[in-house]
Amino acid sequence: AAKMPMAAVASSELEAGVEEQPLLSGDGRRVGRSTAEGGQRSRFLLAAGVLATTLVVLLAVRNTWQDALPEPESSLPPPTSEPICAAPGGIRGPGAPLTILSITNRDIPAPYLACLRASRLEYAARYGFEYCEYSGDYAPEQYNFCWRKLVAIKGLLFGENPRPLVWYIDADALIVNTTIDVRDVIARHGAKDALFAADYSICETHHSPDEGIHPNIDCVDETARPVSGGIIVFRNTRWVRTLLDTVYTSAGQLRGYGTKGEADNDEFTKWAKANRERFRRRASVIPQTVMNSMRKTYTRGDFVYHRAGGDWYNDRSKVRGTRRREHKDKYSMLLPVCRATLANATAAEVDLALGALEDAASKLRDKIGWV
């Protein structure tokens, strides 16, 4: 009979399940090829996993080293008193998932102050947050409000009872859309160490041609947006602590009353532009209307309305005449808006207050020719 070609024999034997030469384990036991190959594959995957983990750790170490800030020459002093805090729907103190912080003073009219506290506490209860408030003489008197504010923020983040996450909001800023959870805003922007709201600039939806902002600013680059000091989110990290002390140091003697010198938002903005890569990795300046809508930019449905302004560089106790009246008038205007944020507000009250804000903003934009 004709001999079958060798290739055909090999093929038929394999198809019939005939084993090749057996493989032996280290102790002489017979193992199948599939078992040996599986072991090799496992060792390869293990080595690849170790290599990938090592690379991730090395990249993290490199980024941490690159982001590390030099120790500043001076640091913000600790507050001289404790804030008043409440957590109506959650945990108070270091265990709070997020702490809302505001600062009040004796110039805020009592009706508005009572409403502000009720509004903050209702929002905190809704999402399980804590609300804290500094007032009175908690910081050195020689500092203007901008730097007293940072004393309070640092004290809450890094004091004896350090909070993990602080959302600072000026007393003249109101949470007007309480259906928005600020944690969702934070998450959408990368959950970074610091989240700043933008101030007025050409990078916003509406802008003024005479604001002195250069039109060649790359608005995609968030470090080009000027920072607003009125709405800020900070995490409890070493980077944030050093940043706070750094901008405090850079302001130097321009932290006092009456200097018309550097505000904290000016210093944050300058630092962001001078340290773009470090800033991008650790912080963001988000569009103004995400959580800092102002008189010219507010539209119905926005998260926070901020009636900014008030001569921060002056000693409030020494303000007289027109400035003091304007200061009180601001809070009188804000009172119906504040009441509209409360749970017991009627639909008519909400429509009237928020509709008035939107109409006023639209008229302002038309008046100054914003696009």
Side-chain angles (χ1 to χ4, degrees), residues 8-22 30 32-33:
V9 171
S11 177
S12 62
E13 288 179 345
L14 289 175
E15 290 173 357
V18 177
E19 295 182 358
E20 296 182 85
Q21 290 297 316
R30 178 171 173 166
R33 178 175 296 276

Side-chain angles (χ1 to χ4, degrees), residues 174-227:
L174 294 166
I175 304 168
V176 290
N177 187 346
T178 58
T179 65
I180 297 175
D181 185 338
V182 68
R183 290 172 297 187
D184 293 336
V185 175
I186 296 169
R188 286 200 303 271
H189 294 88
K192 295 187 177 181
D193 287 5
L195 194 64
F196 297 92
D199 210 334
Y200 284 124
S201 79
I202 201 171
C203 294
E204 301 306 314
T205 304
H206 304 291
H207 67 272
S208 173
D210 60 354
E211 284 187 328
I213 304 296
H214 298 293
N216 62 347
I217 285 179
D218 179 8
C219 294
V220 177
D221 181 3
E222 60 192 24
T223 62
R225 298 186 184 122
V227 167

Side-chain angles (χ1 to χ4, degrees), residues 347-366:
E349 289 174 325
V350 173
D351 287 339
L352 182 62
L354 300 188
L357 289 184
E358 188 169 42
D359 290 344
S362 178
K363 289 176 181 177
L364 275 173
R365 291 195 293 268
D366 291 341

Side-chain angles (χ1 to χ4, degrees), residues 86-91 97-98 100 117-131 167 175-184 302-303 340-345 350 354:
I91 302 172
L98 181 143
I100 302 169
R117 288 170 175 164
S119 178
R120 296 282 201 262
L121 288 170
E122 283 189 2
Y123 185 82
R126 180 169 186 160
Y127 295 103
F129 300 154
E130 176 187 37
Y131 172 60
W167 181 26
I175 304 168
V176 290
N177 187 346
T178 58
T179 65
I180 297 175
D181 185 338
V182 68
R183 290 172 297 187
D184 293 336
D302 285 352
F303 184 22
T341 69
L342 300 179
N344 62 0
V350 173
L354 300 188

Side-chain angles (χ1 to χ4, degrees), residues 97-121:
L98 181 143
T99 299
I100 302 169
L101 170 64
S102 292
I103 296 170
T104 61
N105 59 55
R106 57 183 172 270
D107 285 337
I108 297 177
Y112 177 78
L113 183 58
C115 183
L116 173 71
R117 288 170 175 164
S119 178
R120 296 282 201 262
L121 288 170

